[in-house]
Amino acid sequence: MLSGKHLKLLTDPINKNNPITVQVLGICSALAVTVKLEPAVVMSLSVIFVMSMSNVVISLLRNTIPKRIRIIVQLVVVAALVIIVDQFLKAYVFDVSKQLSVFVGLIITNCIIMGRLEAFALANSPGKSFLDGVGNGAGYGAILIIVAFFRELFGSGTIWNIQVIPQSFYDIGYANNGLMILPPMALVVVGIIIWVQRARNRELIEE
Amino acid sequence: MKFLRKRIDKIKPHFEEGGRFYFLHSVFDGFETFLYVPDHVTKKGAHIRDAIDMKRTMIIVVAALAPAILFGIYNTGLQHFIATGQEQDFWPMIVYGLMKVIPLIAVSYIVGLGIEFAFAQIRKHEINEGFLVSGMLIPLIVPADTPLWMLALATAFAVIIGKEVFGGTGMNILNPALTARAFLFFAYPSWMSGDKVWVSGMMNGEGIIDGYSGATLLAQSAAGAGEFVNGLGEKIGHMEMFIGTIPGSVGETSVLAILIGAIILLVSGIGSWRIMLSTLVGGVLMGLLLNAFAVNPAMEVPWFEHLMIGGFAFGLVFMATDPVTAAQTNRGKYIYGFLIGFLAILIRVLNPAYPEGMMLAILLMNVFAPLIDHMVVQQNIKKRLKRSVSSVKS
């Protein structure tokens, strides 16, 4: 269905050109919403939606936007999409929406989205831009979910709010790691992911 | 001794290139140089020969820690028996203390050295000596009842994230021992702070007498107590603070034992007197300043008591002077030390959430040390440029 070149648009950002671990963009929200798995997944889906849709819209408009006001046009499009997502979350998953609070709104300022609009959507067809948006959103989401998985497992002993570390562990002296819940640990976990990724994929190592 | 040398020489070929155990050569090298002065010579470039190498440096620091370790063992037993209301002689206290402290030291060394050895093998480095000191410092700055698995985890975190990711010994930004303590402090606060953790046996309540309180002096000061009392409610004198028969982390309570260590470090020239002096001055100055504007009991704690309670003395002698993470320039050392002392007392008194500011102050200044050095060097360059320009003009 997809040709090799198109497939690459989708899969490259997940590993070789990951927006978080390789381009080191969008770190702020990765720290903020990864305490638990559920908000991280919702956040990832929201970003995938906003990124792919805004990529398509900007790509369609790319020949009509005057160069000097393109950032404002991009912001208007992204903001409109973010408000749609925000209203949708408030209507259907109110609890998660409360947990994500301001960070849904802050998707507007997510560097990855602006970066992809500038670097890709302005120069490519809508179809390709859509794939690029989904790919980058998925690359962002993958890291978010990995980080949130470890932070929730070791910080709260749960996964998706279900207790997975049995009570017998706590009885013999195990304790949840409070540092995992604090934002600095998200940075350390992202750092470890970067370390593992570059150890496996040597061409990513900068000189 | 000759016998040992012969044995080593006999098995040495197996570990050299082409030998059976070549993959373990850095382990062998580590042990050989631990026992004997190595026969390696620098091959090129100018170099200064010094009688002291890194292993001797590290061993002297461990020797300087010995009084604090021994006193810590005694004090662990002493505090336990006071809390349980038992009259005991000297030796049972030592035995109890040994049973608590030896496992801590063993776990810290096994985990830390294990990781160091593994990294040296993977990266094909020589094994570095840095952990000899860190491994001894970590057990001394935690409560005696710290669960061993937590200590192991913290040690692993400190060695991997605090040190190895930056390139190993000599490259780290943060002091590894304090990184381990900070990890424990933030990850498991209920084992690292509060009134119950400082006296061995209180966490699981084995036979503690009624009404006994294990609050440290710092906790009492933060809570706004007028004068310091021990667990039974009796007043604590300055002599007890100085000798160190008060609740606290294993090795940090005795100013006397730490002073002996400080003298060893200063006489051998391994600890920087500049850092020690300026940290002391910073602490005293902040203490005086807070005394002068005191509005609550915590601020009224006399400045000289601040030097004797909590981890101030221990941090000043053994942590702030870490040659890797401290400032390197002489003027930088004064600034670095002064700010440590200043901030430690500031955090301690004005932020009740963190009764002990020494750890946070040193870690913070570790981060700033390169900046301080940069500033000092740039200033010097500017000064000399100015001088040369003005001499050209005239």
Side-chain angles (χ1 to χ4, degrees):
Chain A
M1 194 178 86
L2 288 166
S3 70
K5 220 167 122 196
H6 287 150
L7 197 66
K8 231 172 149 242
L9 285 177
L10 211 54
T11 54
D12 247 18
I14 292 174
N15 185 8
K16 262 207 300 233
N17 205 6
N18 190 293
I20 292 186
T21 62
V22 179
Q23 298 171 17
V24 197
L25 294 172
I27 292 286
C28 347
S29 51
L31 304 188
V33 299
T34 52
V35 175
K36 296 239 160 155
L37 200 53
E38 196 182 1
V41 169
V42 172
M43 182 75 175
S44 308
L45 293 175
S46 314
V47 169
I48 291 175
F49 171 77
V50 172
M51 187 139 28
S52 53
M53 284 304 135
S54 61
N55 256 6
V56 170
V57 173
I58 293 295
S59 176
L60 284 169
L61 296 174
R62 71 183 187 279
N63 293 324
T64 53
I65 304 174
K67 246 213 151 81
R68 293 173 67 186
I69 59 159
R70 65 181 196 283
I71 301 274
I72 298 172
V73 175
Q74 287 165 10
L75 274 180
V76 169
V77 171
V78 177
L81 287 163
V82 166
I83 289 169
I84 293 172
V85 168
D86 195 25
Q87 295 300 320
F88 179 85
L89 292 182
K90 275 194 185 134
Y92 290 98
V93 275
F94 187 61
D95 287 343
V96 182
S97 164
K98 263 200 301 192
Q99 282 180 44
L100 287 171
S101 66
V102 65
F103 292 101
V104 174
L106 283 178
I107 294 177
I108 300 171
T109 60
N110 194 320
C111 343
I112 304 171
I113 294 180
M114 293 298 280
R116 292 326 289 174
L117 292 178
E118 281 279 302
F120 199 89
L122 279 175
N124 286 288
S125 66
K128 276 187 179 172
S129 298
F130 175 76
L131 290 179
D132 183 75
V134 173
N136 275 287
Y140 169 85
I143 300 299
L144 237 65
I145 288 167
I146 296 173
V147 174
F149 175 82
F150 287 112
R151 284 183 76 189
E152 186 173 354
L153 178 62
F154 293 116
S156 317
T158 58
I159 288 173
W160 205 273
N161 294 328
I162 296 164
Q163 190 72 34
V164 285
I165 292 177
Q167 186 57 39
S168 55
F169 274 45
Y170 292 99
D171 292 341
I172 57 170
Y174 178 80
N176 287 331
N177 191 321
L179 193 60
M180 273 292 185
I181 297 173
L182 301 173
M185 207 57 189
L187 209 58
V188 172
V189 177
V190 171
I192 293 172
I193 294 172
I194 291 178
W195 184 8
V196 171
Q197 192 191 15
R198 283 174 203 213
R200 291 168 59 103
N201 202 344
R202 299 222 151 237
E203 66 203 63
L204 291 176
I205 298 173
E206 300 98 343
E207 284 304 312
Chain B
M1 288 310 268
K2 268 227 170 101
F3 171 73
L4 193 63
R5 182 74 249 179
K6 262 189 191 157
R7 293 290 307 174
I8 290 174
D9 283 340
K10 201 176 162 196
I11 60 168
K12 198 170 178 178
H14 291 304
F15 293 95
E16 278 165 357
E17 209 152 352
R20 248 187 306 172
F21 299 111
Y22 178 62
F23 64 97
L24 285 175
H25 70 102
S26 58
V27 175
F28 176 79
D29 192 60
F31 280 113
E32 193 197 357
T33 50
F34 185 78
L35 294 168
Y36 290 98
V37 176
D39 54 357
H40 317 150
V41 274
T42 312
K43 297 222 168 56
K44 56 180 178 182
H47 54 275
I48 302 167
R49 249 194 172 311
D50 196 347
I52 194 158
D53 65 356
M54 195 146 70
K55 283 196 176 70
R56 309 294 169 263
T57 316
M58 296 294 173
I59 286 298
I60 290 176
V61 181
V62 174
L65 280 169
I69 301 166
L70 295 177
F71 188 86
I73 290 170
Y74 163 73
N75 194 40
T76 304
L78 179 73
Q79 295 301 328
H80 173 74
F81 288 124
I82 292 176
T84 49
Q86 301 175 53
E87 292 285 325
Q88 281 289 5
D89 293 332
F90 178 73
W91 286 109
M93 291 178 187
I94 294 285
V95 170
Y96 184 87
L98 279 174
M99 273 163 49
K100 284 286 173 188
V101 177
I102 294 290
L104 292 178
I105 297 177
V107 165
S108 151
Y109 268 121
I110 291 169
V111 173
L113 286 178
I115 294 170
E116 289 255 341
F117 274 62
F119 267 89
Q121 296 298 330
I122 294 167
R123 294 187 166 164
K124 309 204 165 39
H125 283 178
E126 280 176 40
I127 289 161
N128 272 315
E129 299 79 356
F131 197 74
L132 281 180
V133 171
S134 306
M136 195 52 99
L137 286 172
I138 292 171
L140 292 183
I141 52 175
V142 297
D145 266 356
T146 310
L148 295 178
W149 70 269
M150 283 183 193
L151 191 77
L153 195 66
T155 310
F157 180 85
V159 174
I160 297 173
I161 303 293
K163 200 159 109 180
E164 290 300 340
V165 293
F166 294 107
T169 305
M171 306 291 205
N172 45 314
I173 295 170
L174 299 172
N175 184 323
L178 281 178
T179 311
R181 194 182 194 285
F183 178 86
L184 285 172
F185 183 80
F186 288 107
Y188 305 108
S190 52
W191 274 266
M192 291 298 288
S193 53
D195 291 350
K196 292 207 161 168
V197 300
W198 306 106
V199 174
S200 179
M202 258 187 110
M203 273 297 265
N204 42 17
E206 24 181 274
I208 302 294
I209 53 177
D210 284 347
Y212 185 85
S213 153
T216 59
L217 305 192
L218 277 175
Q220 295 175 27
S221 135
E227 61 180 14
F228 294 131
V229 293
N230 66 13
L232 304 168
E234 298 156 359
K235 190 177 178 318
I236 288 182
H238 291 146
M239 205 57 205
E240 278 172 289
M241 292 183 204
F242 183 73
I243 303 284
T245 50
I246 48 176
S249 295
V250 174
E252 57 156 37
T253 55
S254 172
V255 180
L256 178 69
I258 292 164
L259 269 182
I260 299 172
I263 291 167
I264 297 175
L265 287 183
L266 289 175
V267 168
S268 61
I270 285 169
S272 160
W273 64 267
R274 288 185 177 86
I275 294 177
M276 289 196 203
L277 181 74
S278 54
T279 309
L280 192 68
V281 170
V284 168
L285 210 71
M286 191 68 217
L288 284 170
L289 208 65
L290 288 169
N291 287 165
F293 299 100
V295 288
N296 61 29
M299 288 168 83
E300 276 163 11
V301 174
W303 59 271
F304 55 89
E305 283 185 6
H306 269 306
L307 308 181
M308 293 192 285
I309 61 179
F312 189 86
F314 193 84
L316 183 156
V317 173
F318 294 109
M319 299 292 185
T321 56
D322 174 2
V324 177
T325 54
Q328 308 291 321
T329 51
N330 280 347
R331 203 185 309 162
K333 280 178 184 165
Y334 289 121
I335 303 171
Y336 164 86
F338 180 82
L339 284 174
I340 288 181
F342 198 79
L343 288 172
I345 306 297
L346 185 77
I347 299 171
R348 187 186 267 191
V349 174
L350 295 184
N351 188 345
Y354 300 121
E356 181 47 303
M358 199 60 185
M359 169 184 85
L360 298 168
I362 297 176
L363 285 174
L364 186 69
M365 290 320 292
N366 280 171
V367 176
F368 278 105
L371 193 68
I372 295 172
D373 279 339
H374 179 76
M375 198 185 77
V376 169
V377 170
Q378 290 301 321
Q379 232 173 20
N380 201 29
I381 291 173
K382 252 188 222 161
K383 203 174 79 188
R384 299 189 64 159
L385 258 177
K386 228 176 176 176
R387 199 162 60 197
S388 72
V389 169
S390 64
S391 68
V392 167
K393 268 184 198 159
S394 62

